[in-house]
Amino acid sequence: MREKKVNQASLKIACVPCSQSESVRGRLGGRFWARACILFFAFILRSAYAFYAYNHTFKEYKTEGQQVSALDPDGYNRLGVALIERGELSLTPGRLETSREPFYPLLLAAVHFFFGLSPIVGITLNVLIGVLCCWMTYAVTLSVFQNERVGLFSLLLAAFFPEWIYFSATMFREPLIILLSLIWILLWQKYSSSRNGWAYAGMGTAFGLLCLTRSPFIPIGGAFALLAASKIKLKDWARTIGIFLLCAFVLEGIWTYRNERILKRWVAGASMGGSVMYLSLLYNYSRPDIPLEYPLGAGKDPVISVVLARHLTLDQAEPIFYQSCLKILIHHPLVFWDAFIHKVMKLWRPYPNPGWKYPHSLFALSSLSLIGLFSGGGIMLLGLWGSVLAWRNGYPIGFLILFPMLMSVVYGLFWAVMRYHTTLMVGVIPQAAYALDALLSRKES
């Protein structure tokens, strides 16, 4: 039967007139070169920006320690280097780290092992991951809409989106988070209607590594399992959702067991969620110039005063912070929900905040804000319209819509900074490309 189908397909191809087959090959070749050119420019943009940022940082800071801190503000590259030099996941020798998720440092340690300890190695890794994110966005869009032009539009948006260029050229984990999210979504889009156990194992592995890169994604896996359960027959749950959860739990379980041995309590992700969540409830959202960590140094808050009086580290004080957040939710719900709304609004703000000033002058920051407003804001509007069109036309975009919605809820509970906005765009760019194609199709007709 299979051979018959192959022969029929070959016969159809043979029957196509020579001029028509040549035009088909020309179109396919043109699409290949279009994709190749876009990816090439994506690489050049990220590399050029990384070169500028790296040189600017080394000129601005005098000591090597300041330069390394500026290039690696969250400390993940230092953790990767520590794994190579001391065999410890630790910023401080002798003190094991539990407040930072392990996968990104492990990946950095692997590339440093082969290519040396220079920060250029880590930046190059992010540039390459950033280009791969562009390709994966194209692949996800193509799997949803089955339209090459829509896929090319999504590739263009991903390649030239200023935020993705910015974070691909820095030592943040955002490009890796985007990549793992796209792998998970692509596997779901391709295999959601099948019972392919390997596909669900891939989804579970991608999700597990995503949670080991940023732990607030853990609740999104539960929501995804419910979505999957609504589309899969009960008798097939074990070979699909069960395999997905098993792969994720194995990865998370190793990290959780390690944290339990260190802290003597169960920590599935990073042991800094409670403190960040509590500090975000104290934050004055009308004064963005004041750091989130300010109350820790001031010591005026009663809960923080207790923590300081007991000489507890933030890791040790996490249960106290979570309990205090629950008390605020119960006894002062307006305080809790006011902060929640501010954080969600901040997460969806369509322009950069001062966090973008890392390698820039004030003039450049103002220019980026304007560019960000037109690019981020434009993609959001196109994505909203594209979601309505795609939903109305019956395209399977449920998980693409659910993904940024769930992220908004999770980060509304914890803390939202502008760079978390970059991952939201995973669930927006494909629909924005579809809307862009619809606009051009109207003009062409």
Side-chain angles (χ1 to χ4, degrees):
M1 187 72 179
R2 189 173 179 181
E3 288 180 4
K4 188 176 180 182
K5 286 183 179 178
V6 172
N7 291 334
Q8 287 175 347
S10 302
L11 184 62
K12 287 180 182 178
I13 293 170
C15 292
V16 175
C18 184
S19 59
Q20 188 177 338
S21 63
E22 285 176 2
S23 67
V24 170
R25 284 196 295 270
R27 285 199 301 273
L28 291 174
R31 290 168 184 171
F32 169 79
W33 286 111
R35 294 192 296 266
C37 287
I38 295 169
L39 288 170
F40 174 74
F41 280 111
F43 174 74
I44 293 298
L45 280 170
R46 284 155 179 77
S47 301
Y49 183 80
F51 179 78
Y52 163 74
Y54 181 83
N55 285 312
H56 187 281
T57 300
F58 271 75
K59 288 177 183 176
E60 184 175 347
Y61 296 98
K62 295 180 180 179
T63 69
E64 184 180 352
Q66 288 176 319
Q67 292 161 359
V68 171
S69 296
L71 288 166
D72 179 34
D74 282 358
Y76 286 95
N77 191 65
R78 280 172 283 162
L79 285 171
V81 171
L83 278 168
I84 296 295
E85 293 182 334
R86 305 194 306 270
E88 295 178 333
L89 187 68
S90 171
L91 294 173
T92 306
R95 179 187 169 189
L96 296 180
E97 184 74 48
T98 60
S99 62
R100 291 283 188 271
E101 296 90 342
F103 184 55
Y104 188 40
L106 285 169
L107 187 60
L108 286 165
V111 295
H112 280 305
F113 179 80
F114 288 104
F115 301 105
L117 301 181
S118 169
I120 296 176
V121 172
I123 294 172
T124 303
L125 174 68
N126 265 19
V127 167
L128 295 175
I129 290 175
V131 176
L132 188 54
C133 287
C134 297
W135 173 257
M136 289 299 300
T137 304
Y138 163 80
V140 167
T141 306
L142 198 61
S143 71
V144 173
F145 296 106
Q146 302 295 313
N147 186 308
E148 179 69 27
R149 193 166 80 161
V150 176
L152 285 175
F153 283 145
S154 72
L155 185 58
L156 273 170
L157 291 174
F160 293 95
F161 182 42
E163 283 182 40
W164 282 18
I165 295 171
Y166 174 81
F167 286 107
S168 293
T170 57
M171 300 281 269
F172 287 105
R173 53 193 163 148
E174 268 56 40
L176 180 59
I177 293 169
I178 293 168
L179 178 62
L180 293 169
S181 302
L182 286 165
I183 292 171
W184 178 19
I185 293 171
L186 179 63
L187 287 170
W188 169 249
Q189 294 295 152
K190 280 185 171 293
Y191 299 101
S192 59
S193 59
S194 76
R195 296 177 296 173
N196 188 322
W198 287 108
Y200 284 88
M203 284 184 243
T205 302
F207 168 68
L209 294 176
L210 180 62
C211 295
L212 291 177
T213 308
R214 179 169 287 152
S215 53
F217 278 87
I218 292 173
I220 298 178
F224 168 79
L226 293 174
L227 172 68
S230 68
K231 291 180 171 289
I232 300 171
K233 293 179 181 179
L234 180 61
K235 63 184 180 67
D236 295 326
W237 281 8
R239 72 177 75 179
T240 55
I241 303 169
I243 292 174
F244 167 82
L245 293 174
L246 177 64
C247 291
F249 284 151
V250 167
L251 289 170
E252 284 295 320
I254 297 169
W255 177 244
T256 304
Y257 174 75
R258 181 253 191 193
N259 289 345
E260 198 278 334
R261 294 292 300 271
I262 296 170
L263 297 174
K264 308 303 180 187
R265 61 186 176 85
W266 187 77
V267 177
S271 61
M272 62 182 296
S275 58
V276 172
M277 188 177 184
Y278 183 72
L279 289 170
S280 71
L281 298 179
L282 304 181
Y283 190 69
N284 184 351
Y285 290 90
S286 63
R287 293 290 307 277
D289 55 307
I290 299 176
L292 176 72
E293 299 82 2
Y294 174 76
L296 292 174
K300 295 179 181 179
D301 178 77
V303 174
I304 292 174
S305 297
V306 169
V307 171
L308 295 176
R310 295 183 185 178
H311 303 288
L312 300 175
T313 65
L314 291 180
D315 293 338
Q316 294 169 333
E318 285 292 289
I320 296 174
F321 287 124
Y322 277 120
Q323 292 165 11
S324 301
C325 290
L326 182 61
K327 288 178 182 177
I328 291 174
L329 175 61
I330 294 171
H331 300 293
H332 305 284
L334 290 179
V335 173
F336 186 92
W337 293 114
D338 178 67
F340 180 90
I341 291 169
H342 274 93
K343 285 180 279 187
V344 173
M345 289 174 63
K346 184 177 182 181
L347 186 65
W348 279 95
R349 187 170 59 189
Y351 57 89
N353 70 347
W356 275 47
K357 69 185 179 184
Y358 151 65
H360 300 292
S361 64
L362 185 61
F363 173 77
L365 177 61
S366 302
S367 302
L368 274 174
S369 297
L370 187 62
I371 293 169
L373 181 60
F374 281 101
S375 62
I379 290 174
M380 283 180 184
L381 290 173
L382 281 172
L384 178 61
W385 183 44
S387 296
V388 173
L389 288 176
W391 190 269
R392 196 167 61 190
N393 292 330
Y395 287 101
I397 60 168
F399 191 34
L400 280 176
I401 294 174
L402 187 67
F403 192 76
M405 289 173 60
L406 290 171
M407 276 189 64
S408 301
V409 173
V410 169
Y411 287 110
L413 292 173
F414 287 91
W415 175 239
V417 297
M418 193 65 198
R419 69 176 184 268
Y420 298 165
H421 172 272
T422 59
T423 313
L424 285 174
M425 305 308 281
V426 165
V428 176
I429 288 178
Q431 296 95 298
Y434 181 65
L436 194 57
D437 180 69
L439 270 174
L440 290 177
S441 297
R442 282 187 181 182
K443 288 184 178 181
E444 289 169 359
S445 60

